[in-house]
Structures are given as C-alpha cells and as structure tokens.
C-alpha cells in the first residue's frame, strides 16, 4: 500500500486552523477539527495512509493534486529545481540600467551612493545594449528596471531606449515589462504618462513617514524639502483612471519613527484606497557601507516591521510585500541569476544593487561589440544556481521554495555561510496575512 507525507513547503497556522502552501500559494482552512488532515499536520505524522473524510476521498485527492500531500519530497524538490533552471535560462533577461549612474538630486542621510556622479548613458550605450539583447536568440521575457541614484535625471535616454525596446519586443513577440525605482520628485503626471506609454508601469517610491521626518531624512541636495512635491505627484497620478500600473511606497523607519501618525495621515489621502498603490516597511540599515549612521534602526527591526505592517493592514492599506511571495523563487535574490545584469554607463556589469561599489560586485563588462566579458567574480554569484538545498536545514524549511537558499548571495560571498531571510522566523504570521489578503481581494 502506498504511503504519503506532508509536503515540506507547508506552514500550519494553529490559531486559525489554516495551512498555507508556499509552493503554489494554495491554502486550506478547517472548520471541522476532526478532519484527518488536521490531525496529521498538527502531529507531523509521517508515512500515513490514504484517508477518507465523510466517506469520500475528495479532500485527499485535492490535497494530493495541490501538493499538500506527496509520496516523496523529491516531487517538490524537482518542481523547484526545474523552476530554478528555467529562471536561469536564456529565454529570460533582467537588465537593471543606471542611466545617470548614481547621480541624484536628493541628499538622503542614510544613502550609500555617490550622488555627484556625472556619467550618463547616451546613443552609444543604447546601441550596445540593444544589440546585446538582439543577440539573445531564445529571448521570450525581458524585464528592464531603471535604477540609480535618480534615473529620471536622464529622462530623455529612458524614453528613447524604452521606445526602441518596446518596438523590438513587439516585433519579436517578446513579453516586455519595465519598472523604476525613483524618488518621484520629477514624476509629474506628464512624465508619468510618457513613461507609461513606453511600458514603464511599475514603481518603487520612498516616503519616510510624516512630512517632518521625511524632509529630515530625504531632503534635496540643496537642503530643501521634498515631501509635498512627491505627495502632489502621486495624487496627480492616482487621478488618472482606466489604466493599470503599480506603485509600491517604501516607508523606511527607525526606533523614532511615528508610523501611527503616518498611517493616519495616509488614510486621508485619495491614493490610500487606490488598489494600484501598496506599502512596504523597511528598517533603515547601513549593512553594506562604512557609514556610522545615527538614523539607522539599531534594535528589533524585524519586530518593528511586523508591528508596522499589521497596523497598515488594520487601517486598510495594501501591503506590497505579498507580490514577493507569489512564485517559486520570488524571495531569491536576482543577483544569483545568470540572466540578471546591472549595467553602468561605462558598460561595466554588477550583480547587487546594495553593494554597488564593492570590488566583488564588479563581474565584467559589455564590450563595443555587445559581447559580455566576465571576470573571476562572476562565478561567486552564480555558481550555486543548480542547488536549492545548500545547507541541511533547507531540506525541511517550508520557505525554501521562495528563497532557494539564495536570499542574499552577497552575505554568502562575504561570510561563506548562507544566511536565512528574516521572514523565516515569522512564517505563520506572514502566511496568515497572505490568506487574509487573498480573501479580501475576492
């Protein structure tokens, strides 16, 4: 007789009698506490027999079909590994472009970048990058991320390049998506619509709490305030109806942040109820530079983040993190993928966007013939792409389908040890919030 086991990608939420499957985003909730599957997962029973519920195998069959129950864990491992290999194939390409390098019009107190950079992308860079893309014969999915510094300091290049990419993708049946990380100071309605026209439809924008805190942490380079202009730009964008886009508002915090006051303020603004806008909360950190920054969050960043997220949800704000958990590998770092490149104006290539100036992050360059030339650092970032269980604990961790033992390859390079993402210590709470989010959407 066949024996069965629980898939290792499950999280049991005891308080609500729910089970969430990280492998596929499916979940179950039990009203009948005598259900045999509930007993199996509560007691972590192994090698159990096929069971009936109310004289039917229907529930069992559904649980098998949706990978809550497996005969061997290898079924799950093979699904994940095949996805990893597929994600690293040449049918995908993710390019992060720095059109103004790290130049910026802001002087954020916690920033690690050199905002005085003068390098800019122009026609020669456009031609080299376009040819590099065109040389990938099996390309099916193209993701362009605009990054900086402040990328909109070179808006003309962004529009010109995006027009060319959009035309090429359409002609060659390539699925093209584009996004931008911007401070939104120049994201006027007219600029937004120009960018939208050329396929840039997803944004991450930082607002660091209430006006007083934000202006202190994120002033212009001349010291002037920025909060009101950003809010006004977002209100103008929100007023545009009948088009689909997504704006994730990142709220950085430390122990002194008054998140309650910020949430109450945001609730009074029209875009707080606009489903195209969502919010994420992140502790201010200086892990990747030598700045002794007095504004960094030095104690309990994970606890504070969880508290702020719960308050946001309670007040009806959409939480942007949920998109991170949607697909296999969605919490693994892009830097570990062979088909993900960060390109500077001088055509040098990096992997990680939080350690841009670190010597180990320089992995090669694209030459004048649009050929990628790799250096000795390349394999430090990508060598483990075929391994999803790089340490013993990964083999039983329900979040492994998301992080793929590669949540931060930079930490692995620096410390020769895989560091688990902080979310693994609160999976029960996170998975319950994901279920609530799904049910509120339906």
């Amino acid at each position: 007789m066949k024996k069965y086991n629980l898939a290792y990608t499950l999280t049991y939420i005891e308080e609500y009698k729910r089970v969430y499957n990280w492998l596929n985003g499916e979940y179950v909730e039990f009203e009948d506490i005598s259900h045999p599957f509930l007993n199996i997962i509560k007691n972590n029973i192994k090698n159990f027999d096929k069971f009936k519920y109310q004289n039917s195998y229907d529930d069992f069959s559904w649980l098998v079909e949706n990978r809550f129950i497996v005969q061997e864990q290898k079924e799950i491992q093979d699904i994940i590994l095949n996805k990893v290999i597929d994600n690293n194939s040449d049918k995908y390409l993710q390019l992060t472009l720095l059109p103004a390098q790290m130049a910026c019009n802001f002087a954020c107190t916690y920033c690690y970048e050199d905002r005085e950079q003068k390098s800019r992308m122009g026609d020669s860079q456009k031609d080299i990058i376009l040819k590099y893309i065109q040389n990938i014969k099996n390309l099916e999915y193209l993701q362009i991320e605009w990054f900086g510094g402040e990328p909109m300091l070179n808006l003309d290049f962004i529009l010109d390049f995006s027009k060319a990419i959009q035309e090429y993708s359409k002609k060659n049946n390539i699925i093209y998506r584009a996004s931008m990380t911007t401070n939104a100071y120049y994201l006027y309605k007219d600029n937004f619509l120009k960018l939208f026209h050329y396929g840039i439809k997803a944004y991450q924008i930082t607002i660091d709490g209430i006006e007083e805190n934000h202006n202190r942490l994120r002033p212009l380079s001349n010291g002037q305030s920025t909060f009101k202009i950003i809010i006004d730009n977002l209100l103008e964008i929100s007023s545009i109806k009948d088009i689909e886009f997504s704006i994730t508002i990142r709220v950085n915090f430390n122990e002194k942040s008054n998140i309650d006051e910020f949430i109450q303020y945001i609730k009074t603004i029209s875009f707080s109820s606009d489903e195209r806008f969502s919010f994420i909360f992140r502790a201010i950190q200086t892990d990747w530079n030598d700045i002794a920054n007095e504004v960094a969050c030095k104690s309990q960043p994970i606890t504070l983040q969880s508290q702020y997220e719960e308050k946001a949800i309670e007040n009806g704000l959409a939480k942007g993190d949920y998109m991170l958990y949607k697909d296999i590998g969605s919490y693994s770092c892009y830097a570990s993928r062979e088909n993900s490149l960060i390109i500077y104006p001088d055509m040098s290539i990096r992997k990680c966007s939080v350690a841009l100036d670190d010597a180990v992050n320089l992995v090669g360059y694209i030459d004048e013939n649009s050929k990628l030339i790799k250096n000795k650092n390349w394999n430090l970032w990508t060598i483990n792409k075929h391994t999803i269980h790089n340490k013993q604990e990964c083999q039983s961790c329900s979040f492994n389908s998301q992080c793929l033992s590669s949540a931060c390859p930079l930490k692995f390079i620096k410390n020769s040890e895989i560091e688990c993402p902080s979310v693994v210590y609160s999976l029960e709470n996170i998975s319950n919030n994901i279920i609530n989010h799904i049910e509120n959407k339906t």
Side-chain angles (χ1 to χ4, degrees):
M1 182 180 292
K2 292 180 179 178
K3 296 291 184 178
Y4 297 89
N5 285 283
L6 296 169
Y8 73 94
T9 53
L10 306 182
T11 292
Y12 174 50
I13 308 158
E14 185 172 10
E15 181 178 358
Y16 299 100
K17 304 299 184 287
R18 289 169 162 178
V19 183
Y20 183 77
N21 193 344
W22 293 96
L23 181 72
N24 51 25
E26 294 288 348
Y27 66 93
V28 289
E29 185 171 352
F30 296 93
E31 296 179 357
D32 183 356
I33 61 172
S34 68
H35 195 289
F37 185 72
L38 191 58
N39 177 59
I40 289 169
I41 197 164
K42 282 174 63 177
N43 295 289
N44 194 26
I45 297 174
K46 303 181 187 304
N47 296 316
F48 53 86
D49 296 323
K50 184 177 181 178
F51 60 77
K52 285 184 178 181
Y53 176 66
Q54 296 180 345
N55 296 316
S56 171
Y57 287 115
D58 288 351
D59 282 11
F60 182 88
S61 298
W62 186 92
L63 290 165
V64 170
E65 180 182 349
N66 288 279
R67 307 287 183 176
F68 286 76
I69 294 174
V70 296
Q71 288 184 261
E72 296 182 12
Q73 299 299 344
K74 190 175 185 301
E75 298 174 36
I76 303 296
Q77 295 166 6
D78 286 347
I79 291 171
I80 298 171
L81 186 55
N82 287 336
K83 181 65 174 177
V84 173
I85 294 171
D86 186 58
N87 282 348
N88 279 277
S89 72
D90 58 4
K91 71 179 183 181
Y92 295 96
L93 180 63
Q94 178 180 345
L95 299 181
T96 300
L97 305 183
L98 279 66
Q101 199 154 320
M102 291 185 284
C104 191
N105 55 324
F106 277 29
C108 302
T109 57
Y110 49 74
C111 186
Y112 52 85
E113 298 177 354
D114 180 3
R115 64 178 184 270
E116 302 299 328
Q117 291 278 352
K118 303 299 182 184
S119 300
R120 299 290 187 271
M121 287 186 174
D123 289 341
S124 62
Q125 288 89 345
K126 171 190 167 185
D127 293 341
I128 291 171
I129 298 171
L130 279 174
K131 186 178 177 183
Y132 176 78
I133 294 170
Q134 292 163 0
N135 287 340
I136 302 174
K137 302 305 180 185
N138 299 320
L139 188 61
E140 297 178 18
Y141 305 92
L142 174 62
Q143 172 72 37
I144 302 293
E145 160 70 14
W146 297 100
F147 194 69
E150 175 46 52
M152 291 188 69
L153 291 176
N154 197 357
L155 179 60
D156 288 343
F157 176 84
I158 295 173
L159 295 173
D160 187 39
F161 182 89
S162 298
K163 178 183 179 182
I165 283 293
Q166 190 178 61
E167 291 173 352
Y168 175 77
S169 298
K170 185 176 181 180
K171 181 179 179 181
N172 291 276
N173 296 314
I174 295 169
I175 297 173
Y176 157 64
R177 300 285 184 268
S179 57
M180 180 182 291
T181 299
T182 173
N183 58 41
Y185 194 84
Y186 297 124
L187 198 61
Y188 319 128
K189 183 177 179 179
D190 288 348
N191 282 343
F192 176 86
L193 288 173
K194 290 175 185 176
L195 293 165
F196 183 90
H197 179 71
Y198 291 124
I200 304 172
K201 301 179 181 180
Y203 294 83
Q204 179 170 291
I205 294 164
T206 298
I207 302 176
D208 281 350
I210 58 175
E211 184 169 5
E212 178 184 357
N213 288 349
H214 174 94
N215 287 333
R216 177 172 55 85
L217 294 171
R218 297 180 63 81
L220 281 175
S221 55
N222 63 9
Q224 294 183 0
S225 62
T226 60
F227 183 87
K228 188 176 185 305
I229 288 176
I230 296 170
I231 294 294
D232 287 347
N233 287 344
L234 296 178
L235 287 171
E236 282 288 299
I237 292 169
S238 180
S239 71
I240 307 170
K241 306 303 179 184
D242 302 322
I243 64 171
E244 290 300 319
F245 59 83
S246 67
I247 292 180
T248 300
I249 295 175
R250 174 175 175 143
V251 184
N252 294 319
F253 64 84
N254 58 23
E255 296 89 340
K256 299 178 181 178
S257 300
N258 191 333
I259 297 296
D260 286 314
E261 188 175 348
F262 172 74
I263 290 175
Q264 293 308 312
Y265 168 76
I266 288 294
K267 283 175 62 179
T268 68
I269 296 178
S270 61
F271 63 74
S272 67
S273 58
D274 188 331
E275 292 186 351
R276 299 170 297 183
F277 289 73
S278 61
F279 296 80
I280 62 175
F281 297 85
R282 296 290 185 269
I284 299 172
Q285 296 181 331
T286 55
D287 292 9
W288 308 119
N289 57 68
D290 297 325
I291 301 172
N293 202 316
E294 64 180 18
V295 301
C297 185
K298 300 177 177 65
S299 64
Q300 298 184 314
I302 299 171
T303 301
L304 287 174
Q305 180 176 330
S306 179
Q307 291 174 357
Y308 296 155
E309 289 170 349
E310 289 179 9
K311 289 176 182 178
I313 293 169
E314 289 170 1
N315 285 274
L317 301 183
K319 187 168 174 290
D321 292 76
Y322 294 136
M323 69 182 69
L324 295 175
Y325 308 121
K326 191 168 62 173
D327 300 314
I328 293 173
S330 56
Y331 216 87
S332 66
C333 182
Y334 54 84
S336 66
R337 300 175 187 173
E338 289 200 359
N339 49 23
S340 178
L341 308 175
I342 298 174
I343 306 179
Y344 272 39
D346 65 358
M347 293 290 97
S348 59
I349 302 297
R350 270 83 175 165
K351 276 290 187 178
C352 173
S353 62
V354 298
L356 291 171
D357 289 331
D358 194 312
V360 77
N361 198 22
L362 180 61
V363 296
Y365 64 95
I366 299 177
D367 69 13
E368 64 274 10
N369 297 313
S370 298
K371 183 179 179 180
L372 175 60
I373 308 298
K374 303 172 185 177
N375 66 23
K376 63 181 181 180
N377 291 334
W378 179 270
N379 282 343
L380 296 175
W381 296 88
T382 63
I383 196 69
N384 293 315
K385 68 179 183 301
H386 292 295
T387 305
I388 57 172
H389 295 137
N390 286 329
K391 62 178 182 178
Q392 186 66 31
E393 298 93 315
C394 298
Q395 297 183 27
S396 59
C397 177
S398 60
F399 200 67
N400 181 253
S401 59
Q402 308 299 324
C403 79
L404 307 176
S405 301
S406 189
C408 185
L410 179 61
K411 290 182 179 179
F412 179 76
I413 292 169
K414 295 291 186 180
N415 304 322
S416 299
E417 182 178 354
I418 293 172
E419 183 172 322
C420 295
S422 59
V423 296
V424 303
Y425 305 109
S426 52
L427 290 183
E428 192 172 329
N429 180 59
I430 293 171
S431 54
N432 192 59
N433 285 336
I434 292 172
I435 294 172
N436 290 336
H437 176 75
I438 293 170
E439 294 192 339
N440 289 335
K441 288 286 187 180
T442 58

